[in-house]
Amino acid sequence: MLTPATETEAAALIREHAASKTPLHIRGGGTRVGFGNAVAADAILSSSALTGITEYNPAEMVMTARAGTPVAEIEAALAANGQSMAFEPMDHRGAMGTSGTPTIGGLFAVNSSGPRRFTAGAARDHLLGLRFVNGAGDVVKAGGKVMKNVTGLDLVKLLAGSHGTLGFLTEVTFKVLSVPKTAATIVVSGLEDEQAMKALAAALSLSVEVSGAAHLPESVRARFIGGKLPDGAATVMRIEGLEASVAVRAEKLTAAMDGIGPVSRLDADDTQALWAEIRDVMPYADGTTRPLWRVSMAPSEAWKLVAGLRLRAGIDAYYDWQGGLVWMRMEADAEAEVLRHGIRTLGGGHATLVRAAPQIRAEVAAFEPQVPAVALLSARIRAKLDPHGIFNPGLMT
């Protein structure tokens, strides 16, 4: 494993490998080892030694850190000033059965975004600027420290979510927000999936500023917060903010949900624990390699996909993002063809295979196949940023 301690050292290593057209497996802290398609590279280039917060002004709500800086270090510095990353990045270790240390560069490289995604935006929406080394060994700076500085902004968006196929991240600059003073979760119990999607849509149409909207069917409900949720499927809605405001909005939401099903409320501590477990897919952090899918599609259609699959395969699933994100665990086979056909039939979306046994990974494309026009554009972008094709070859194709 190659672990450069400076950006200059990283650039020199990449130039050396580019000259010999030797592929590199780009890696951060190693928490997503095995994710994606097999990488055709023997050498690993890790950003884990590029550490440290280089600039942070809480008043400006902007932080700059080297790519290998542990997320825990970032979160500790932010928490000391009552701030956080509002997009709630997921910790993949439990679901994927890996160890390692989550890094800030790895977080943005995969565009990791949690339950607040549908209100606060994705990780890439908070990324203001970055530095990276391209496939020719050149150091590139893109973006800035404020959103109105659009220099290189498109390049910033391209790198976020590229999984290390376009460049080797060395530094990131991102915006942060204040931590809400308190939070509460309204729970509606006993709803079927279709009813739950209607209830969540109704909740989001109210002026109560719901910041988390998920449905936990009975099959997973008991695996959250130590089984403290009431009996029956749990449709959960989070409200955050000042204490007085949360109290008023929670009361309004409770009244709106009262005629739909039994309503209860979680306090701030249980709310924090619940949404962290929803974010980290804790029901499926089971130590197995049973296929785990991350499916994104229209909230009005996702429940239909799950209902159809349940008639044909052994699956378990729950919904986040008002139903637009489905975490789905298969009991045996990956059922990729059936799953992706169902998504196309219901208007489109994408399914990503997050976890599976090696044999299944070798046979199933981890990422949703791109339509020809998009695939051509993606190939052209890769050719510009990585002309010798040395970064994570095969990972996303």
Side-chain angles (χ1 to χ4, degrees):
M1 182 182 293
L2 306 173
T3 54
T6 66
E7 183 180 75
T8 301
E9 186 181 343
L13 285 168
I14 290 170
R15 282 195 297 271
E16 178 184 332
H17 283 76
S20 61
K21 296 184 179 179
T22 304
L24 288 167
H25 190 168
I26 305 300
R27 184 178 295 179
T31 62
R32 283 173 287 273
V33 172
F35 182 77
N37 302 314
V39 176
D42 294 326
I44 297 172
L45 179 63
S46 171
S47 63
S48 58
L50 296 171
T51 61
I53 296 170
T54 57
E55 188 174 346
Y56 174 39
N57 186 336
E60 294 180 356
M61 294 187 166
V62 174
M63 176 180 281
T64 300
R66 296 187 182 92
T69 307
V71 171
E73 182 179 333
I74 300 287
E75 291 178 332
L78 293 175
N81 292 281
Q83 296 176 341
S84 69
M85 292 179 282
F87 52 93
E88 297 180 287
M90 175 183 174
D91 184 342
H92 287 78
R93 288 176 292 185
M96 295 198 66
T98 57
S99 54
T101 301
T103 63
I104 192 66
L107 180 162
F108 283 111
V110 302
N111 192 34
S112 180
S113 312
R116 211 180 277 117
R117 162 71 176 83
F118 71 97
T119 57
R124 64 162 52 94
D125 298 311
H126 296 249
L127 187 60
L128 303 176
L130 49 77
R131 293 176 67 93
F132 69 97
V133 183
N134 68 14
D138 302 319
V139 176
V140 181
K141 179 182 178 182
K145 293 184 179 178
V146 292
M147 287 303 291
K148 66 181 179 181
N149 182 347
V150 297
T151 304
L153 190 60
D154 289 344
L155 197 55
V156 171
K157 304 303 186 190
L158 279 174
L159 267 290
S162 65
H163 294 263
T165 60
L166 300 179
F168 179 72
L169 287 178
T170 59
E171 185 179 83
V172 292
T173 297
F174 52 99
K175 63 179 178 179
V176 299
L177 293 176
S178 297
V179 175
K181 295 298 182 182
T182 191
T185 297
I186 302 303
V187 183
V188 183
S189 300
L191 302 185
E192 298 294 334
D193 291 5
E194 180 181 6
Q195 295 174 299
M197 297 308 114
K198 293 178 179 179
L200 292 176
L204 265 70
S205 71
L206 300 172
S207 57
V208 296
E209 300 178 27
V210 172
S211 68
H215 177 61
L216 316 175
E218 176 62 16
S219 60
V220 299
R221 185 265 312 164
R223 289 177 244 166
F224 286 101
I225 56 173
K228 293 167 67 174
L229 289 168
D231 290 343
T235 306
V236 293
M237 294 149 280
R238 178 177 60 187
I239 295 177
E240 301 174 295
L242 298 174
E243 188 170 346
S245 173
V246 168
V248 171
R249 288 183 286 134
E251 184 176 344
K252 182 176 180 179
L253 181 55
T254 298
M257 294 293 112
D258 192 46
I260 297 175
V263 181
S264 55
R265 177 175 170 177
L266 302 180
D267 64 17
D269 289 341
D270 283 342
T271 290
Q272 182 178 8
L274 174 65
W275 290 96
E277 292 180 2
I278 290 173
R279 176 197 69 195
D280 294 341
V281 199
M282 289 307 292
Y284 307 140
D286 51 14
T288 75
T289 57
R290 281 182 285 184
L292 177 63
W293 290 94
R294 182 183 185 275
V295 178
S296 180
M297 57 189 301
S300 60
E301 303 299 316
W303 70 269
K304 299 176 185 177
L305 174 71
V306 174
L309 287 171
R310 282 176 173 155
L311 297 175
R312 303 188 58 172
I315 74 166
D316 197 11
Y318 74 90
Y319 308 80
D320 199 359
W321 300 357
Q322 194 201 333
L325 174 64
V326 186
W327 287 103
M328 185 182 302
R329 188 192 65 192
M330 303 301 189
E331 295 305 313
D333 295 331
E335 305 288 355
E337 291 185 10
V338 174
L339 171 59
R340 285 175 167 152
H341 175 74
I343 292 173
R344 291 192 297 271
T345 301
L346 291 169
H350 56 84
T352 303
L353 183 61
V354 175
R355 179 189 76 199
Q359 181 181 351
I360 292 176
R361 284 197 170 282
E363 298 171 351
V364 176
F367 293 93
E368 189 75 27
Q370 295 178 331
V371 298
V374 175
L376 179 61
L377 179 60
S378 297
R380 287 177 176 175
I381 292 171
R382 284 197 300 272
K384 288 291 185 181
L385 292 175
D386 181 19
H388 303 294
I390 65 171
F391 289 150
N392 282 347
L395 179 71
M396 299 187 74
T397 56

